[in-house]
Short mmCIF file of all heavy atoms in Angstrom, two decimals:
data_model
loop_
_atom_site.label_atom_id
_atom_site.label_comp_id
_atom_site.label_asym_id
_atom_site.label_seq_id
_atom_site.Cartn_x
_atom_site.Cartn_y
_atom_site.Cartn_z
N LEU N 17 96.41 95.46 130.33
CA LEU N 17 96.29 95.52 128.88
C LEU N 17 97.49 96.28 128.34
O LEU N 17 97.87 97.31 128.87
CB LEU N 17 94.99 96.22 128.49
CG LEU N 17 93.72 95.71 129.18
CD1 LEU N 17 92.52 96.55 128.75
CD2 LEU N 17 93.49 94.24 128.89
N LEU N 18 98.08 95.79 127.28
CA LEU N 18 99.33 96.36 126.79
C LEU N 18 99.29 96.59 125.29
O LEU N 18 98.97 95.69 124.51
CB LEU N 18 100.49 95.41 127.12
CG LEU N 18 100.72 95.16 128.62
CD1 LEU N 18 101.47 93.87 128.84
CD2 LEU N 18 101.45 96.34 129.24
N ASP N 19 99.60 97.82 124.88
CA ASP N 19 99.83 98.09 123.47
C ASP N 19 101.09 97.32 123.06
O ASP N 19 101.93 96.99 123.90
CB ASP N 19 100.01 99.59 123.27
CG ASP N 19 100.30 99.96 121.83
OD1 ASP N 19 99.62 99.45 120.94
OD2 ASP N 19 101.23 100.77 121.61
N CYS N 20 101.24 97.06 121.77
CA CYS N 20 102.42 96.32 121.30
C CYS N 20 103.47 97.25 120.70
O CYS N 20 104.59 97.35 121.20
CB CYS N 20 102.00 95.27 120.28
SG CYS N 20 103.39 94.28 119.65
N ASP N 21 103.13 97.95 119.61
CA ASP N 21 104.11 98.71 118.85
C ASP N 21 104.68 99.87 119.66
O ASP N 21 103.96 100.77 120.08
CB ASP N 21 103.49 99.24 117.57
CG ASP N 21 103.06 98.11 116.64
OD1 ASP N 21 103.83 97.15 116.48
OD2 ASP N 21 101.95 98.20 116.08
N ASN N 22 106.00 99.84 119.86
CA ASN N 22 106.75 100.86 120.60
C ASN N 22 106.34 100.97 122.07
O ASN N 22 106.64 101.96 122.73
CB ASN N 22 106.68 102.22 119.91
CG ASN N 22 107.73 102.35 118.82
OD1 ASN N 22 108.25 101.35 118.34
ND2 ASN N 22 108.03 103.57 118.43
N THR N 23 105.64 99.95 122.56
CA THR N 23 105.34 99.85 123.99
C THR N 23 105.98 98.57 124.52
O THR N 23 106.81 98.61 125.42
CB THR N 23 103.82 99.86 124.23
OG1 THR N 23 103.28 101.11 123.77
CG2 THR N 23 103.50 99.70 125.72
N LEU N 24 105.61 97.44 123.94
CA LEU N 24 106.28 96.18 124.25
C LEU N 24 107.48 95.95 123.32
O LEU N 24 108.53 95.49 123.76
CB LEU N 24 105.31 95.00 124.10
CG LEU N 24 104.19 94.88 125.13
CD1 LEU N 24 103.26 93.73 124.73
CD2 LEU N 24 104.74 94.66 126.53
N CYS N 25 107.28 96.27 122.06
CA CYS N 25 108.28 95.96 121.03
C CYS N 25 108.71 97.21 120.27
O CYS N 25 107.88 98.08 120.01
CB CYS N 25 107.72 94.95 120.03
SG CYS N 25 107.20 93.39 120.77
N LEU N 26 109.98 97.26 119.90
CA LEU N 26 110.48 98.36 119.07
C LEU N 26 110.15 98.05 117.61
O LEU N 26 111.02 97.70 116.82
CB LEU N 26 111.98 98.53 119.28
CG LEU N 26 112.41 99.14 120.61
CD1 LEU N 26 113.92 99.02 120.80
CD2 LEU N 26 111.97 100.60 120.71
N SER N 27 108.89 98.20 117.29
CA SER N 27 108.40 97.73 115.99
C SER N 27 107.87 98.84 115.08
O SER N 27 107.74 98.65 113.88
CB SER N 27 107.26 96.72 116.21
OG SER N 27 106.29 97.24 117.11
N GLU N 28 107.58 100.01 115.64
CA GLU N 28 106.91 101.04 114.85
C GLU N 28 107.78 101.53 113.70
O GLU N 28 107.32 101.61 112.55
CB GLU N 28 106.53 102.22 115.76
CG GLU N 28 105.43 103.10 115.18
CD GLU N 28 104.04 102.48 115.32
OE1 GLU N 28 103.43 102.60 116.39
OE2 GLU N 28 103.58 101.88 114.33
N ARG N 29 109.04 101.84 113.97
CA ARG N 29 109.91 102.35 112.90
C ARG N 29 110.14 101.27 111.83
O ARG N 29 110.13 101.57 110.63
CB ARG N 29 111.23 102.84 113.47
CG ARG N 29 112.20 103.39 112.43
CD ARG N 29 113.36 104.12 113.07
NE ARG N 29 112.92 105.36 113.70
CZ ARG N 29 112.81 106.52 113.06
NH1 ARG N 29 113.10 106.60 111.77
NH2 ARG N 29 112.40 107.60 113.70
N LEU N 30 110.33 100.04 112.25
CA LEU N 30 110.49 98.95 111.28
C LEU N 30 109.26 98.84 110.38
O LEU N 30 109.38 98.68 109.17
CB LEU N 30 110.72 97.63 112.01
CG LEU N 30 112.06 97.44 112.71
CD1 LEU N 30 112.03 96.17 113.57
CD2 LEU N 30 113.20 97.38 111.71
N ALA N 31 108.10 98.94 110.99
CA ALA N 31 106.86 98.84 110.23
C ALA N 31 106.72 100.00 109.25
O ALA N 31 106.31 99.81 108.09
CB ALA N 31 105.67 98.80 111.18
N PHE N 32 107.06 101.19 109.70
CA PHE N 32 106.93 102.36 108.83
C PHE N 32 107.96 102.33 107.70
O PHE N 32 107.70 102.82 106.61
CB PHE N 32 107.02 103.65 109.64
CG PHE N 32 105.69 104.10 110.20
CD1 PHE N 32 105.13 103.46 111.29
CD2 PHE N 32 104.98 105.13 109.61
CE1 PHE N 32 103.91 103.85 111.80
CE2 PHE N 32 103.75 105.52 110.11
CZ PHE N 32 103.21 104.89 111.21
N GLU N 33 109.12 101.75 107.97
CA GLU N 33 110.09 101.55 106.88
C GLU N 33 109.48 100.68 105.79
O GLU N 33 109.65 100.93 104.60
CB GLU N 33 111.36 100.89 107.42
CG GLU N 33 112.24 101.81 108.25
CD GLU N 33 113.41 101.07 108.87
OE1 GLU N 33 113.57 99.86 108.61
OE2 GLU N 33 114.17 101.70 109.63
N ALA N 34 108.76 99.65 106.22
CA ALA N 34 108.18 98.71 105.26
C ALA N 34 107.02 99.31 104.48
O ALA N 34 106.78 98.94 103.33
CB ALA N 34 107.72 97.45 105.98
N CYS N 35 106.27 100.24 105.11
CA CYS N 35 105.08 100.74 104.43
C CYS N 35 105.27 102.09 103.74
O CYS N 35 104.38 102.54 103.01
CB CYS N 35 103.89 100.81 105.39
SG CYS N 35 103.92 102.13 106.59
N THR N 36 106.42 102.74 103.91
CA THR N 36 106.64 104.03 103.25
C THR N 36 106.63 103.89 101.73
O THR N 36 106.01 104.71 101.02
CB THR N 36 107.98 104.65 103.72
OG1 THR N 36 107.91 104.91 105.12
CG2 THR N 36 108.24 105.97 102.99
N ASP N 37 107.27 102.86 101.21
CA ASP N 37 107.28 102.67 99.75
C ASP N 37 105.86 102.47 99.22
O ASP N 37 105.51 103.03 98.16
CB ASP N 37 108.14 101.46 99.38
CG ASP N 37 109.63 101.74 99.54
OD1 ASP N 37 110.00 102.91 99.67
OD2 ASP N 37 110.41 100.76 99.55
N LEU N 38 105.04 101.70 99.93
CA LEU N 38 103.66 101.48 99.49
C LEU N 38 102.86 102.77 99.56
O LEU N 38 102.03 103.06 98.68
CB LEU N 38 102.99 100.41 100.36
CG LEU N 38 103.27 98.95 99.97
CD1 LEU N 38 102.58 98.03 100.96
CD2 LEU N 38 102.78 98.67 98.56
N THR N 39 103.09 103.56 100.60
CA THR N 39 102.40 104.85 100.72
C THR N 39 102.72 105.74 99.52
O THR N 39 101.82 106.34 98.92
CB THR N 39 102.82 105.55 102.03
OG1 THR N 39 102.44 104.75 103.13
CG2 THR N 39 102.17 106.93 102.14
N ASN N 40 103.99 105.82 99.18
CA ASN N 40 104.37 106.67 98.04
C ASN N 40 103.88 106.09 96.72
O ASN N 40 103.56 106.85 95.79
CB ASN N 40 105.90 106.84 98.03
CG ASN N 40 106.37 107.72 99.17
OD1 ASN N 40 105.64 108.59 99.64
ND2 ASN N 40 107.59 107.50 99.63
N GLU N 41 103.78 104.78 96.63
CA GLU N 41 103.21 104.16 95.44
C GLU N 41 101.74 104.57 95.27
O GLU N 41 101.29 104.87 94.15
CB GLU N 41 103.32 102.64 95.53
CG GLU N 41 102.73 101.89 94.34
CD GLU N 41 102.77 100.39 94.52
OE1 GLU N 41 103.81 99.86 94.95
OE2 GLU N 41 101.73 99.73 94.22
N VAL N 42 101.00 104.58 96.38
CA VAL N 42 99.59 105.00 96.33
C VAL N 42 99.49 106.45 95.85
O VAL N 42 98.67 106.78 94.97
CB VAL N 42 98.94 104.86 97.73
CG1 VAL N 42 97.60 105.57 97.78
CG2 VAL N 42 98.76 103.39 98.08
N LEU N 43 100.31 107.33 96.41
CA LEU N 43 100.25 108.74 96.03
C LEU N 43 100.57 108.92 94.55
O LEU N 43 99.92 109.71 93.84
CB LEU N 43 101.22 109.55 96.89
CG LEU N 43 100.83 109.70 98.36
CD1 LEU N 43 101.97 110.30 99.17
CD2 LEU N 43 99.57 110.55 98.51
N GLU N 44 101.56 108.17 94.05
CA GLU N 44 101.91 108.27 92.64
C GLU N 44 100.79 107.74 91.76
O GLU N 44 100.41 108.37 90.75
CB GLU N 44 103.20 107.50 92.37
CG GLU N 44 103.65 107.57 90.91
CD GLU N 44 104.97 106.86 90.67
OE1 GLU N 44 105.48 106.20 91.60
OE2 GLU N 44 105.49 106.96 89.55
N LYS N 45 100.22 106.62 92.14
CA LYS N 45 99.16 105.99 91.34
C LYS N 45 97.94 106.88 91.23
O LYS N 45 97.26 106.90 90.19
CB LYS N 45 98.79 104.64 91.95
CG LYS N 45 97.78 103.85 91.12
CD LYS N 45 97.57 102.46 91.69
CE LYS N 45 96.56 101.66 90.87
NZ LYS N 45 96.37 100.29 91.40
N TRP N 46 97.64 107.62 92.31
CA TRP N 46 96.47 108.49 92.30
C TRP N 46 96.82 109.94 91.92
O TRP N 46 96.07 110.86 92.19
CB TRP N 46 95.75 108.42 93.64
CG TRP N 46 94.72 107.33 93.66
CD1 TRP N 46 93.38 107.46 93.37
CD2 TRP N 46 94.91 105.94 93.92
NE1 TRP N 46 92.75 106.24 93.44
CE2 TRP N 46 93.66 105.29 93.77
CE3 TRP N 46 96.03 105.17 94.26
CZ2 TRP N 46 93.50 103.91 93.97
CZ3 TRP N 46 95.86 103.81 94.44
CH2 TRP N 46 94.62 103.19 94.30
N GLY N 47 97.99 110.09 91.29
CA GLY N 47 98.35 111.36 90.67
C GLY N 47 98.72 112.48 91.63
O GLY N 47 98.56 113.66 91.30
N LYS N 48 99.25 112.12 92.79
CA LYS N 48 99.65 113.13 93.77
C LYS N 48 101.17 113.28 93.78
O LYS N 48 101.90 112.30 93.72
CB LYS N 48 99.16 112.75 95.17
CG LYS N 48 97.63 112.58 95.25
CD LYS N 48 96.92 113.87 94.86
CE LYS N 48 95.42 113.69 94.71
NZ LYS N 48 94.75 114.95 94.31
N SER N 49 101.64 114.52 93.88
CA SER N 49 103.07 114.78 93.78
C SER N 49 103.81 114.60 95.10
O SER N 49 105.03 114.45 95.13
CB SER N 49 103.31 116.20 93.27
OG SER N 49 102.72 117.15 94.16
N GLU N 50 103.07 114.61 96.21
CA GLU N 50 103.71 114.51 97.52
C GLU N 50 104.33 113.12 97.72
O GLU N 50 103.82 112.12 97.24
CB GLU N 50 102.69 114.77 98.65
CG GLU N 50 102.09 116.17 98.65
CD GLU N 50 100.85 116.27 97.78
OE1 GLU N 50 100.55 115.31 97.01
OE2 GLU N 50 100.18 117.31 97.84
N ARG N 51 105.44 113.09 98.47
CA ARG N 51 106.08 111.83 98.84
C ARG N 51 106.50 111.92 100.31
O ARG N 51 106.83 112.99 100.80
CB ARG N 51 107.31 111.55 97.96
CG ARG N 51 106.99 111.39 96.47
CD ARG N 51 106.17 110.15 96.18
NE ARG N 51 105.92 110.01 94.75
CZ ARG N 51 104.86 110.49 94.11
NH1 ARG N 51 103.93 111.17 94.78
NH2 ARG N 51 104.71 110.31 92.82
N TYR N 52 106.50 110.78 100.97
CA TYR N 52 106.83 110.73 102.39
C TYR N 52 108.17 110.06 102.63
O TYR N 52 108.53 109.09 101.95
CB TYR N 52 105.77 109.94 103.16
CG TYR N 52 104.50 110.70 103.45
CD1 TYR N 52 103.45 110.71 102.53
CD2 TYR N 52 104.34 111.40 104.64
CE1 TYR N 52 102.27 111.40 102.80
CE2 TYR N 52 103.17 112.09 104.92
CZ TYR N 52 102.14 112.08 104.00
OH TYR N 52 100.97 112.76 104.26
N THR N 53 108.90 110.56 103.63
CA THR N 53 110.01 109.82 104.21
C THR N 53 109.46 109.01 105.38
O THR N 53 108.32 109.23 105.82
CB THR N 53 111.11 110.75 104.73
OG1 THR N 53 110.57 111.55 105.81
CG2 THR N 53 111.62 111.68 103.64
N VAL N 54 110.26 108.09 105.90
CA VAL N 54 109.84 107.33 107.08
C VAL N 54 109.51 108.26 108.23
O VAL N 54 108.50 108.11 108.92
CB VAL N 54 110.94 106.32 107.49
CG1 VAL N 54 110.56 105.62 108.79
CG2 VAL N 54 111.17 105.30 106.39
N GLU N 55 110.37 109.27 108.43
CA GLU N 55 110.18 110.20 109.55
C GLU N 55 108.89 110.99 109.40
O GLU N 55 108.16 111.22 110.38
CB GLU N 55 111.38 111.16 109.65
CG GLU N 55 112.65 110.53 110.18
CD GLU N 55 113.31 109.56 109.20
OE1 GLU N 55 113.06 109.68 107.98
OE2 GLU N 55 114.02 108.66 109.66
N GLN N 56 108.59 111.46 108.20
CA GLN N 56 107.37 112.23 107.97
C GLN N 56 106.13 111.36 108.18
O GLN N 56 105.13 111.82 108.75
CB GLN N 56 107.37 112.80 106.54
CG GLN N 56 108.37 113.90 106.32
CD GLN N 56 108.56 114.24 104.85
OE1 GLN N 56 108.32 113.40 103.97
NE2 GLN N 56 108.97 115.46 104.57
N LEU N 57 106.20 110.13 107.74
CA LEU N 57 105.06 109.22 107.90
C LEU N 57 104.83 108.92 109.38
O LEU N 57 103.68 108.90 109.86
CB LEU N 57 105.32 107.94 107.12
CG LEU N 57 104.09 107.16 106.63
CD1 LEU N 57 103.27 108.00 105.66
CD2 LEU N 57 104.52 105.87 105.93
N LEU N 58 105.91 108.72 110.12
CA LEU N 58 105.80 108.51 111.56
C LEU N 58 105.17 109.72 112.25
O LEU N 58 104.31 109.58 113.12
CB LEU N 58 107.18 108.24 112.16
CG LEU N 58 107.67 106.79 112.15
CD1 LEU N 58 109.17 106.74 112.42
CD2 LEU N 58 106.92 105.96 113.18
N GLU N 59 105.61 110.90 111.87
CA GLU N 59 105.11 112.13 112.49
C GLU N 59 103.61 112.27 112.29
O GLU N 59 102.87 112.65 113.19
CB GLU N 59 105.83 113.34 111.90
CG GLU N 59 105.45 114.68 112.52
CD GLU N 59 105.92 114.82 113.96
OE1 GLU N 59 106.93 114.20 114.33
OE2 GLU N 59 105.25 115.56 114.71
N ASP N 60 103.14 111.94 111.09
CA ASP N 60 101.72 112.14 110.76
C ASP N 60 100.83 110.98 111.21
O ASP N 60 99.65 111.20 111.52
CB ASP N 60 101.54 112.33 109.25
CG ASP N 60 101.95 113.71 108.78
OD1 ASP N 60 102.39 114.51 109.63
OD2 ASP N 60 101.86 113.99 107.57
N PHE N 61 101.37 109.75 111.25
CA PHE N 61 100.48 108.60 111.40
C PHE N 61 100.89 107.60 112.47
O PHE N 61 100.33 106.49 112.51
CB PHE N 61 100.34 107.88 110.06
CG PHE N 61 99.67 108.68 108.99
CD1 PHE N 61 100.41 109.23 107.94
CD2 PHE N 61 98.31 108.93 109.05
CE1 PHE N 61 99.78 109.99 106.96
CE2 PHE N 61 97.67 109.69 108.06
CZ PHE N 61 98.41 110.23 107.02
N VAL N 62 101.80 107.95 113.36
CA VAL N 62 102.19 107.01 114.40
C VAL N 62 100.97 106.63 115.24
O VAL N 62 100.13 107.47 115.57
CB VAL N 62 103.31 107.58 115.31
CG1 VAL N 62 102.83 108.75 116.13
CG2 VAL N 62 103.88 106.48 116.21
N GLY N 63 100.83 105.33 115.53
CA GLY N 63 99.69 104.86 116.31
C GLY N 63 98.50 104.43 115.48
O GLY N 63 97.54 103.88 116.01
N HIS N 64 98.56 104.67 114.16
CA HIS N 64 97.47 104.26 113.26
C HIS N 64 97.87 102.99 112.52
O HIS N 64 99.03 102.80 112.19
CB HIS N 64 97.17 105.36 112.23
CG HIS N 64 96.62 106.61 112.81
ND1 HIS N 64 95.29 106.95 112.77
CD2 HIS N 64 97.22 107.63 113.48
CE1 HIS N 64 95.09 108.11 113.37
NE2 HIS N 64 96.26 108.54 113.81
#
């Protein structure tokens, strides 16, 4: 059995690049001042 992201394929950073903007959009829409960089999002949520 094989995991895919960053095990078979170098896909995790690409995926987090794509979803960082959406993450920050959510935080802004719900009135939160925090914003994430790709690196910060990876640190907190890699594997999710």
Side-chain angles (χ1 to χ4, degrees):
L17 310 177
L18 298 158
D19 178 46
C20 181
D21 297 317
N22 276 19
T23 298
L24 290 174
C25 301
L26 288 170
S27 50
E28 200 77 83
R29 180 168 291 274
L30 289 171
F32 273 76
E33 287 174 3
C35 74
T36 297
D37 287 346
L38 277 178
T39 298
N40 289 331
E41 179 184 316
V42 168
L43 290 169
E44 181 177 7
K45 185 173 180 179
W46 271 266
K48 302 300 171 181
S49 60
E50 297 88 350
R51 298 293 182 268
Y52 281 88
T53 63
V54 175
E55 287 71 23
Q56 290 168 335
L57 207 61
L58 273 164
E59 183 68 28
D60 284 1
F61 295 106
V62 67
H64 294 258

